[in-house]
Structure formats: structure tokens, C-alpha cells
């Protein structure tokens, strides 16, 4: 039984999603139960059918239900419900337009399917200028001459606290936030905190190479755990003696896999039992295009086992060099002891600008705009691939983020694919760097992103790739 | 025989200093030779006596000659002359005025003799706003959306190269410069570079505590080497098995001692023989008030044994979080291998602003202004101490930087001194934190700085301290 309130602040989609999720968590809807069909529920509630479909799709991508084609949606096993906390409502999208896109020239490539740098047309230059002037004229400006709080400015930490609560369901206080100059610095801080442990860390295989470098730098032994269709293999994790694991549960890098809710619950149980810590790298969670964002692992954690890591690099600008971690409360005394003699790492000026930017609501609007813009590019790219490359390729990990994997069904190898593309001045990327044990890498995959190309360039680029890969002998 | 050219671009002071220094280095003036008296030389050259006195004082502070009261100046042993390179001329000071000074309120203290935060009145706010706008409007501005060069922006590195050459005699190319977000990050980079070594580092005792934390974090064993009147004890250094040493040769922190030239030569010889590396932390070399700045150790190094570290924290703003290291050329391939997967740590925006600031000559003018301003405050403070505290105290390490040590001849202890001052709402600082082996700390010393107080406040503060320490029973 679902009750909906018309004209409420909470969207119909949201009401249906929340009530069904709560029924599943509470056990009212048991494992294996078939949900009312979308058509029937829409009729009962007098709402549009695609509203119900959106709610079901979201439950599906988060692992609460599974869809059997031609049969319907069934409730999944979500295990220990005591771990659940209320989730904040995900952010809504707007239909604001994004400015036209410019492109950076590169001698070697005309079309670069990269996934890390952003289009500069998306950056709010004029606003940044205004806020810079305002920051320098503020009373606070005297702090530009001080060694400031090593955790970051309190105002900015308060803004981040609000943002992660509203968008990612992360509940914390500003005291738990530590600002860092990039993901690598964030991981370095975490390594320093666990310097006294057994210095082993489980990482995803394949996984983000930039993270492994930092663990190695800190003399951590790296245990690579295979990633399957539901994220890292928890049985293999169980067999290791590590207490620390580093994962990207909401959009695994680079495979794009989402860890479903029953696996998340198991992972949290592992951490509780093992007195372990899970580093959740939520690097591009803002960008999910055909369902709502997936709540963070942190939002499901009631035992303080998760260190959440967010970044401004994917949604605003990597050139700002700014990320943040959210430490569990019990870890704060240790943090303050170990970091007592440390200085801040981020310029006061930049912190102040971003703080004003968030405080005034620009950040939220920016995310909506950029998400919509990225969705268009994403959909254009997927469509172009289907039309041009057809069933010679399979797409893995799409509908989210700024990249996905392309599998070549006839077994073409990444080295050849990259070289052929290069001959046509198109750049695509290998997956090999993300494998710790290189021999495990499946070579008929490449990595493609769309963070720097316009829709027009995307279509052109795929046409060139078709030529490069399938039309020359 | 000294030849001087009247009306030359090079000041008379400079001409006398350079020629005498070269004669000492070349051996023309042998160890033990008594220099012509200042009076006689002034008469011979037809210049003012205080011009000659300044030249002699500079040679003295750099360790080329020593002064015997009532007897004159004698040439010191400067050992292996093959190590010398030409030194760039030190910067000249101007008489520009510095704006009036404002003070930050603090509930507990009315007068804070600290040495780390700067007066915000010295920061060029209006200019910063203009340059921020210019940076955002520049063609380069697209780089705000990129992951940029991990070493820092090439333009800024080129500006730093020019600055360290002209002001500190450091010869390098922009390829050797690595920008870091503070001294601690700089030392972390260096530790990462020598991660494969024996992980021992010699540090000064007493010395900068913020550095030791980073060595410890990187599992380096810390060997503390006592600092005498000529810097660290080279015999003790010789007895260790370390290849790495971290020192502040031009203004030792916190004692203010200057390492004289013969010791510098010995230290460089130690490094060459041992295949060692000297980290030269040149943190406040801009500020030397009654002699010219002391050339860097790097400028005397011909074998690539010195990693030079500079910072923007002391002369411009600690809130910018920006420092830099200059790596020897032979170390660059190793740097590029180890740091291949690392990202930059400083915001592009900030790098661009500072790059414009230096390029336009503002930085050089700023240094002159601030140096003059600091000299006035320094002299006021020294005078006030002499007048108010008389011979109950001795000042160590003055005429440079932003701090010095105060010794209490009757053996008052720092804990008591700090507490008494606090009762009068004046803050002075302990020396204990800078001792690795706390039992070695001489307790009748305190640390005092003048980075945040105006001249008026300095005079008031010292009067309060007199009351606190010597007028109450």
C-alpha cells in the first residue's frame, strides 16, 4: 500500500521510491515478492506510468529489486536491515541550458575521447571573478596572511556537510570534514592515519592507478581483489588479512559497475567484524543519467566504518585541486593527535571563493546544469556507437559518469585499436594501466570518455573510429 | 689592491665586497691575513668609512673574515675553492613606505610576539583582485578545467628560476623547479624521492618541528645533530651513517645562527664524499637587516648535492600555501619516474596569479617594501629590549628573519616566563618544541617574533613584559 500526496514538495517519483525502499528494508516486502506492475501501480495511484517506471528503475540500480524481462520486478535480499539509516532525498535536475562548448587544440589528435579534463566552457568564469573580488574584500580576507586551519575553513566545511547530506545521504558535522588538495593527498592523509596498522590495503582489480601509487608510497601492501558484476569479490576480500579497503562502489572505476545494496550490507558487516575501514571514493556520483544518483555507501553505514571521499574535480574543475574526506567521529581524536603539527594544504583564497559559491546556491545549480549537459553528450555517444559500430562492440558501465568501457566482441586488441584510432587522429584509452596484475587484463577492451568533446565532435569521432577499426583492411 | 669604479651600476659597497671575497676564495688573501683597517681602506679608496664597514660586516657574517674586537678583521679558512661559483648580486632595498598596520583581535592576548602569521596590511589585496580578474580572462584560463603539470605551471617556474638566481645565487632551469603546497609537502616529495635509501635523516637540534613530523611520517630515522655558533656540528654529522641532511644554513631555525662559508664548504664536501643530499631550507632569507642577504648554500654547490627549498609564506602570505624545491639535474629522471602518476597539488588559478605578480615586477618591489618594514620593526624591538630589559637578557640570532631567541641571564625558566607574560596578556613562545631530545633544551630561553605586531605594539608589549618578568615579586 502506497500513499502519495499530490502537490507535496517531495516529487511523486520520490514518494514511490522512498516508500517501496522502506518496505523492502523493513521486511514488509519480502525477498522474492513480485512488485505490482508499473502499469497497475500507475493506474492505482493516478500517476503517469513513467513516474512509476523511474522509481522502479532506481530501486533496481541500487539493488533493492531486480527486473526479470517480460515478468516484472522482484524484491532482492537486502540482508541486515539494522544497518540502514534514512537517506536524504536526491537532488533534482533542472532544464537549464549549458553554454556552447569549446575545444582545446591538440596537434596529434582531432578527437580525444578522454575522461579527466573538463570542457572549459562549463566553468563559471565571470562568477569566479566576482566571487574572487568579494573574497578579497571580505572581513575574513586577513586570513590570507595566516596559517589557517589544517582541516580547511570552517565555512567551507559546513557547506560541504550540507551538500553531501542532501545529495549523497552522508550525515556528518563540519568537524569530520578534512579538505585535501586532490584525491592523492586525501589518500595520503588516510595512510598516515593508519600508519600504525598492518599496512595492507585491498583495492579493486581493475581499479584507479593513482590511488595505488599513494598506498605504495606509504609502504602499504596492495591486495587486488577482482571486480565482478556486483563490485569487488567479497569472498576474496574475506580471505585477506587487511582491515583497509579502497573502493568506488557507486560507479566502479573503470568498469562502471554499481555495487548493489545486498553487497554493500555484506561489505559493511565485513568491516564491522574486522574492525576495518572502507574508503569510499565517490568521485563522480553526481553524474547518473537515467536513474537518480545512487546513495553513498556511507549513508548505509551506522557503525562508522566508512571514510567518504568526494571531489570538486569531476563536476567543477580538476585545476582547483580540491577534494575532501569525511572521517568517522571515533577517528577524530587520532586525527588531531597525528596531525597536530601539520599545516593546511589549500589556499585560503580558493577556499573562500568556493565557500561563497556553495553558500549562494551556485554549486547546486551548476551540478544540475553540468549533469544535464553530460547526459546529452552521453546519450549522443551511446547512440552513435550503436548506429556506427553496431554489434561489433558492447558497452559496459554506461548511464553514469564521464567514461565507460567498450568491449570488442571479435577480440580486437587494445594496442591495435588505439594505434588505428591514432592514425585517424582520434584518441581512445587503454584499460591496462588499471590492472595491478597486468596478465589479468582483458585486452579486447578500451576506455572511452566524453568529458572534453562536444556532441558534434562525438558523432564525428565515432564515424572516424568506425573507419579506423572496421573499414580498413 | 682594490679597484673601484665611481658612478658604476654596481654600488661601492658591492665592489669592495666582491673583490675581497674573490681574493679570499682565490687564495690571494691567505688565511690569517689581517685586512686593511676600515679607516685606512676608506681613505685609500676615497669612500665613506661606513661603506667599507658594510662590506667587511657582510664578509664577516658570511664567514669569509672574522672580527677581533680592537684588533681588526682576519681572513678565515675557506677550504676548497673549487666549489665556488659566481654569486648573483644580492637585491637592493628601496625606501618605499609600507602601509599602516592593523592587528587581529585575540581575546586572551593583547600583544602576541608570534613569528608565523603576517600582518594582513602588507598583502596586496587590490592588486590581487586585478590579477585574479586578468588570470580568469587570459587565454590560459581554460587550464582551470585541466589536470595540469604536476611540477607546476611552466610560466611560474620560469619566474621562480629568475628570482632565485637574482636574489639567492641559485642557478637552475624551470625543469628543476617543483611547486609544492607548503614546506611539509615539499619535504614529503623529497622523502618519496629517497624512499629507496637508508631512510635516515640528520636534522638540526634544535630545529623546525614541522619538518621532523614529515620525516617520521615517511619512516625516516631522525638523527639530531647539535647546532653550535656555526650551525650543525659537522663532526657529529660525519659520525652518522645518513646520506640526507635537512638544514637552515642562512638563518638557523630557531637559533638564528648563520653557517659560515668554511663550514658550508666542509658540508658540501661531506655530501660529495658520502653521495649525500643536503636539503637547504631557505625559509626567510629575504630578511636580513644590517647586512646583505647571505648567499644560499646552493650557490656554492658545484656537485648537485643541494636540494634548495624556498617559500612564499614568509614574505608574501602563508595562506597561499605555496613553496618550491629545486632539484639537482641528475635527480630529474628519478623524479619523473617516481612521480609519473602524480597530479599537481596547487590550483591553476593561484599559480597564474602569482606568475603574473612576479612577471610584472610586483614581487621584487613587495620584498623590498616588506624587508624595510620588517627592519624598522626589528630595530624597534631590539631597542626596546635593550632599554627596558637591559642586561637581564641576551638576544640571539637577531638582524634577520622574523624571530630571535631571548636568553635570561639569571636563569628564569621558559614555563614561568610564558605564564607571567600571559598574565599580562602578552604571548611569547617556548623553544622546547624544537628540541628532539627535550632534555637538551636550555630552559632559560624563549622565542619571540614580530611578524604580527606594529612598532607601537612592540614597544607596549616589551613594557608589559618588563612588568611581568622583572617588576613583580
Amino acid at each position: 500500500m502506497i500513499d502519495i500526496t499530490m502537490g507535496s514538495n517531495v516529487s511523486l517519483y520520490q514518494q514511490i521510491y522512498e516508500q517501496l525502499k522502506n518496505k523492502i528494508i523493513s521486511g514488509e516486502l519480502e525477498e522474492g515478492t513480485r512488485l505490482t506492475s508499473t502499469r497497475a501501480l500507475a493506474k492505482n495511484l493516478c500517476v503517469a506510468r513513467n513516474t512509476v517506471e523511474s522509481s522502479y528503475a532506481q530501486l533496481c540500480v541500487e539493488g533493492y529489486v531486480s527486473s526479470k524481462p517480460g515478468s516484472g520486478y522482484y524484491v532482492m535480499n537486502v540482508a541486515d536491515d539494522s544497518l540502514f539509516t534514512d537517506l536524504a532525498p536526491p537532488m533534482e535536475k533542472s532544464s537549464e541550458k549549458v553554454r556552447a562548448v569549446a575545444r582545446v587544440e591538440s596537434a596529434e589528435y582531432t578527437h580525444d575521447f578522454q575522461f579527466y579534463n573538463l570542457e572549459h566552457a562549463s566553468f563559471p568564469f565571470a562568477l569566479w571573478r566576482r566571487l574572487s573580488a568579494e573574497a578579497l574584500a571580505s572581513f575574513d580576507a586577513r586570513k590570507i596572511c595566516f596559517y589557517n586551519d589544517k582541516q580547511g575553513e570552517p565555512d567551507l566545511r559546513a557547506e560541504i556537510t550540507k551538500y553531501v547530506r542532501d545529495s549523497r545521504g552522508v550525515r556528518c558535522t563540519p568537524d569530520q570534514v578534512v579538505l585535501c588538495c586532490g584525491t592523492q593527498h586525501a589518500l595520503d592523509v588516510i595512510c598516515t592515519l593508519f600508519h600504525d596498522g598492518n599496512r595492507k590495503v585491498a583495492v579493486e582489480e581493475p581499479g584507479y592507478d593513482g590511488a595505488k601509487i599513494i598506498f605504495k608510497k606509504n609502504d602499504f601492501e596492495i591486495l587486488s581483489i577482482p571486480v565482478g558484476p556486483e563490485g569487488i569479490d567479497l569472498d576474496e576480500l574475506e580471505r585477506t588479512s587487511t582491515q583497509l579497503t579502497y573502493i568506488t562502489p557507486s560507479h566502479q572505476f573503470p568498469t562502471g559497475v554499481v555495487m548493489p545494496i545486498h553487497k554493500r550490507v555484506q561489505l559493511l558487516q565485513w568491516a564491522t567484524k574486522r574492525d576495518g575501514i572502507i574508503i569510499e571514493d565517490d568521485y563522480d556520483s553526481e553524474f547518473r543519467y537515467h536513474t537518480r544518483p545512487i546513495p553513498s555507501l556511507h549513508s548505509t553505514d551506522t557503525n562508522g566504518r566508512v571514510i567518504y571521499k568526494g571531489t570538486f574535480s569531476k563536476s567543477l574543475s580538476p585545476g582547483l585541486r580540491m577534494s575532501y574526506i569525511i572521517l568517522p567521529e571515533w577517528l577524530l581524536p587520532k586525527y588531531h593527535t597525528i596531525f597536530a603539527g601539520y599545516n593546511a594544504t589549500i589556499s585560503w583564497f580558493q577556499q573562500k571563493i568556493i565557500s561563497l559559491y556553495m553558500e549562494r546556491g551556485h554549486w547546486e545549480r551548476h551540478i544540475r546544469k553540468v549533469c544535464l549537459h553530460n547526459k546529452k553528450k552521453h546519450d549522443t555517444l551511446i547512440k552513435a556507437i550503436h548506429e556506427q559500430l553496431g554489434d561489433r562492440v558492447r558497452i559496459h558501465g554506461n548511464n553514469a559518469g564521464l567514461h565507460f568501457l567498450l568491449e570488442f566482441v571479435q577480440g580486437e586488441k587494445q594496442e591495435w585499436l588505439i594505434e588505428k584510432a591514432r592514425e585517424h587522429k582520434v584518441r581512445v584509452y587503454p584499460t591496462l594501466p588499471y590492472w595491478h596484475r597486468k596478465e589479468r587484463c582483458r585486452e579486447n577492451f578500451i576506455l572511452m570518455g566524453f568529458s572534453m568533446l562536444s556532441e558534434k565532435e562525438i558523432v564525428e569521432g565515432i564515424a572516424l573510429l568506425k573507419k579506423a577499426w572496421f573499414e580498413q583492411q
Side-chain angles (χ1 to χ4, degrees), chain A:
Chain A
M1 193 63 199
I2 291 178
D3 299 313
I4 60 167
T5 314
M6 293 292 181
S8 145
N9 274 336
V10 182
S11 68
L12 296 173
Y13 155 88
Q14 181 80 17
Q15 294 182 46
I16 298 167
Y17 160 82
E18 291 287 354
Q19 289 183 47
L20 284 172
K21 191 176 74 175
N22 289 336
K23 283 178 201 292
I24 295 167
I25 291 171
S26 69
E28 194 182 320
L29 284 172
E30 285 177 5
E31 188 185 345
T33 310
R34 184 174 171 283
L35 295 189
T36 315
S37 75
T38 55
R39 183 194 303 255
L41 186 61
K43 210 177 153 196
N44 286 347
L45 299 175
C46 298
V47 301
R49 185 167 167 198
N50 65 8
T51 302
V52 178
E53 281 172 347
S54 297
S55 308
Y56 281 25
Q58 184 72 18
L59 290 167
C60 207
V61 76
E62 291 177 21
Y64 290 95
V65 303
S66 73
S67 138
K68 292 188 191 164
S71 161
Y73 291 90
Y74 293 84
V75 173
M76 303 279 284
N77 169 23
V78 296
D80 183 1
D81 56 23
S82 71
L83 286 171
F84 290 93
T85 55
D86 280 338
L87 301 177
M91 277 177 27
E92 284 171 48
K93 293 169 190 169
S94 86
S95 59
E96 279 184 63
K97 278 219 170 162
V98 174
R99 278 190 295 152
V101 161
R103 182 170 59 85
V104 179
E105 279 72 40
S106 149
E108 203 176 351
Y109 297 102
T110 57
H111 296 78
D112 186 346
F113 284 93
Q114 60 155 277
F115 50 93
Y116 41 93
N117 292 333
L118 305 182
E119 295 173 78
H120 72 274
S122 67
F123 190 82
F125 286 101
L127 188 56
W128 221 251
R129 191 165 61 235
R130 273 209 321 275
L131 296 176
S132 299
E134 194 176 328
L136 290 170
S138 70
F139 176 70
D140 263 8
R142 63 203 165 87
K143 296 179 90 177
I144 207 169
C145 291
F146 296 175
Y147 285 90
N148 294 301
D149 192 325
K150 63 177 180 288
Q151 276 187 261
E153 290 303 297
D155 289 359
L156 178 54
R157 286 191 275 130
E159 289 300 325
I160 287 172
T161 303
K162 281 185 244 164
Y163 169 67
V164 294
R165 185 195 61 211
D166 295 345
S167 73
R168 310 293 302 130
V170 173
R171 311 249 167 209
C172 67
T173 65
D175 293 343
Q176 294 171 255
V177 180
V178 180
L179 283 156
C180 302
C181 50
T183 293
Q184 293 182 319
H185 177 237
L187 295 176
D188 202 59
V189 169
I190 296 170
C191 287
T192 305
L193 282 171
F194 296 102
H195 191 266
D196 57 353
N198 70 4
R199 300 228 194 155
K200 290 179 183 179
V201 61
V203 301
E204 296 164 327
E205 172 84 325
Y208 174 46
D209 54 335
K212 286 176 242 175
I213 291 173
I214 302 300
F215 293 123
K216 253 165 69 183
K217 161 183 184 296
N218 283 281
D219 294 318
F220 278 65
E221 187 188 337
I222 293 173
L223 310 164
S224 54
I225 311 286
V227 170
E230 298 191 330
I232 58 164
D233 184 328
L234 294 178
D235 295 332
E236 275 229 25
L237 180 64
E238 190 70 55
R239 281 192 286 275
T240 68
S241 59
T242 179
Q243 291 182 290
L244 194 64
T245 180
Y246 166 76
I247 60 166
T248 49
S250 298
H251 187 227
Q252 203 272 332
F253 186 85
T255 66
V257 160
V258 177
M259 183 177 266
I261 187 67
H262 70 276
K263 286 281 174 185
R264 291 176 180 227
V265 170
Q266 267 184 50
L267 179 64
L268 290 167
Q269 285 168 339
W270 165 85
T272 303
K273 207 174 60 191
R274 183 74 66 94
D275 196 18
I277 284 285
I278 302 157
I279 307 167
E280 175 181 23
D281 189 346
D282 206 28
Y283 65 105
D284 69 356
S285 54
E286 290 91 353
F287 303 139
R288 188 151 278 280
Y289 306 123
H290 294 282
T291 53
R292 298 291 165 131
I294 292 164
S296 64
L297 178 66
H298 190 284
S299 68
T300 312
D301 171 29
T302 52
N303 291 316
R305 306 322 313 172
V306 175
I307 297 178
Y308 178 89
K309 195 204 100 355
T311 179
F312 289 87
S313 293
K314 301 299 170 192
S315 43
L316 185 56
S317 145
L320 298 175
R321 309 309 308 128
M322 211 153 100
S323 66
Y324 48 88
I325 50 177
I326 291 166
L327 300 175
E329 266 186 326
W330 61 265
L331 199 54
L332 295 182
K334 187 173 180 186
Y335 170 79
H336 290 296
T337 305
I338 292 180
F339 283 85
Y342 278 73
N343 291 320
T345 55
I346 307 172
S347 145
W348 169 85
F349 183 35
Q350 173 150 309
Q351 292 190 57
K352 183 70 184 178
I353 299 169
I354 297 184
S355 181
L356 292 171
Y357 185 72
M358 294 181 86
E359 197 182 302
R360 308 279 162 84
H362 299 298
W363 167 245
E364 214 179 306
R365 283 192 289 276
H366 176 82
I367 297 274
R368 284 193 214 135
K369 257 169 58 175
V370 172
C371 190
L372 194 74
H373 179 62
N374 285 340
K375 176 176 183 293
K376 279 189 188 163
K377 294 205 295 179
H378 169 270
D379 292 355
T380 301
L381 177 51
I382 300 295
K383 185 161 166 270
I385 290 174
H386 283 313
E387 287 176 2
Q388 301 280 326
L389 311 182
D391 51 14
R392 283 171 288 206
V393 296
R394 248 178 244 132
I395 302 170
H396 295 262
N398 52 335
N399 290 329
L402 298 168
H403 76 273
F404 50 76
L405 298 185
L406 208 57
E407 179 186 359
F408 290 76
V409 291
Q410 285 166 28
E412 291 91 342
K413 293 221 165 39
Q414 55 184 248
E415 204 179 333
W416 181 86
L417 293 161
I418 290 165
E419 177 51 29
K420 280 286 150 195
R422 200 191 58 75
E423 285 170 10
H424 288 74
K425 297 196 169 219
V426 183
R427 190 166 191 185
V428 294
Y429 290 81
T431 58
L432 194 65
Y434 310 108
W435 291 84
H436 190 59
R437 289 163 62 176
K438 302 294 180 200
E439 71 281 7
R440 288 189 189 166
C441 173
R442 288 177 59 191
E443 287 189 77
N444 59 330
F445 279 76
I446 58 160
L447 181 59
M448 286 183 84
F450 49 96
S451 67
M452 282 276 288
L453 295 175
S454 69
E455 289 185 65
K456 180 167 163 284
E457 289 166 329
I458 285 170
V459 174
E460 291 166 2
I462 296 298
L464 286 168
L465 287 175
K466 182 185 181 191
K467 230 165 142 183
W469 291 334
F470 302 121
E471 291 182 358
Q472 292 194 322
Q473 295 312 323

